[in-house]
Amino acid sequence: MPSSSWSDTVRAAPGRAVTWRALILTSAVLIVMMTGVAVGAGWYAWHHLAARVTLREQQADVLLPESLAVRASVTQGVTVRIDETLPVRVPIQQNLVIPIEDEIPLVVSLDTVVPIALDVPVKTVIHLDQTVAVDTRVQTRVLGVPLTLPIKAQVPIQADVPVELVVPVRERLPVALQAPARVRLPEPIRTRIDTVVETRVPVQEILTLPVTRPVEATLRFPQQTVRAGLAELDLTLPFQALSVGRSLPDLGLSVP
């Protein structure tokens, strides 16, 4: 091994020499690696870690949003007052049995032919008081000789003739009349109703309705700042949202 000065050669171990150049190069590599590790750790912490800050007994100005969508469950019933006139359509499909117990007044019109078959007994006395004209020929015998004598005269007749006979009547008699009548129906009237009844029903009622499903609503606030006191506030802030500033001892906060 050639000879060298002590300033150029450092023996790290017996039988092996380390030069300053190798030492400086190794130190530079270690510094670069440590810098890379530090940068990587810082980048990871900057993007994935957060700082936790706890504030107690602080005052804050809260700006309410213009609107806020909420979904709430209502445990109590909702009271609704109805004072309306509602149109109603009621379909009716039903079989009805209607008993009619009272007599029904009617006007009966009759126009028909009535057959008549009667035997009418007649018993009376016919009084005759009249003159009967006689114009005939009479056959007779005079002294045994048959003769035909013409007779023409006026014969007065006064008598009471009893008549007793049965007169058969066989006729078809037309009948046309209108007369009031009262009719009683022994059986009830059976009918079917298939219709739709349209009407308007006034409704004045107070109803308590249960709410069985969550209610979606939008809350609207006045656009103003509300002063609020915070008893305890636990904040988790990403490192990207942090900045460095001077400390305020009275509030325990920092101002950038």
Side-chain angles (χ1 to χ4, degrees), residues 9 24 54 63 72 78 87 98 106 140 153 168 187 194 209 222-223 239 252:
T9 305
I24 293 173
T54 301
L63 179 62
V78 178
I98 305 174
L106 298 175
T140 183
E187 296 292 334
D194 188 357
L209 305 177
Q223 289 295 297
F239 285 156

Side-chain angles (χ1 to χ4, degrees), residues 8-128:
D8 295 333
T9 305
V10 177
R11 295 184 178 272
R16 186 177 180 181
V18 179
T19 63
W20 284 105
R21 182 179 300 177
L23 183 61
I24 293 173
L25 182 60
T26 302
S27 300
V29 171
L30 290 176
I31 292 174
V32 171
M33 292 178 61
M34 294 178 63
T35 303
V37 171
V39 171
W43 180 88
Y44 180 84
W46 183 263
H47 289 86
H48 295 85
L49 300 181
R52 185 173 181 179
V53 180
T54 301
L55 302 178
R56 294 182 176 86
E57 298 181 356
Q58 302 295 325
Q59 296 292 326
D61 293 334
V62 180
L63 179 62
L64 299 179
E66 181 180 358
S67 61
L68 179 63
V70 298
R71 183 182 180 90
S73 298
V74 181
T75 58
Q76 297 181 352
V78 178
T79 301
V80 180
R81 179 179 180 86
I82 300 178
D83 188 2
E84 296 288 340
T85 300
L86 304 178
V88 178
R89 299 180 76 254
V90 181
I92 300 177
Q93 297 180 355
Q94 188 174 2
N95 296 324
L96 298 181
V97 178
I98 305 174
I100 299 178
E101 300 178 354
D102 298 335
E103 294 182 346
I104 302 175
L106 298 175
V107 177
V108 179
S109 297
L110 184 61
D111 187 2
T112 184
V113 177
V114 179
I116 298 176
L118 298 176
D119 292 331
V120 180
V122 177
K123 185 177 182 181
T124 185
V125 176
I126 300 176
H127 180 70
L128 298 179

Side-chain angles (χ1 to χ4, degrees), residues 220-244:
R220 298 187 181 277
F221 304 97
Q223 289 295 297
Q224 61 183 5
T225 302
V226 180
R227 190 70 175 177
L230 304 178
E232 183 175 352
L233 180 62
D234 192 356
L235 300 177
T236 300
L237 302 176
F239 285 156
Q240 295 178 351
L242 298 179
S243 60
V244 179

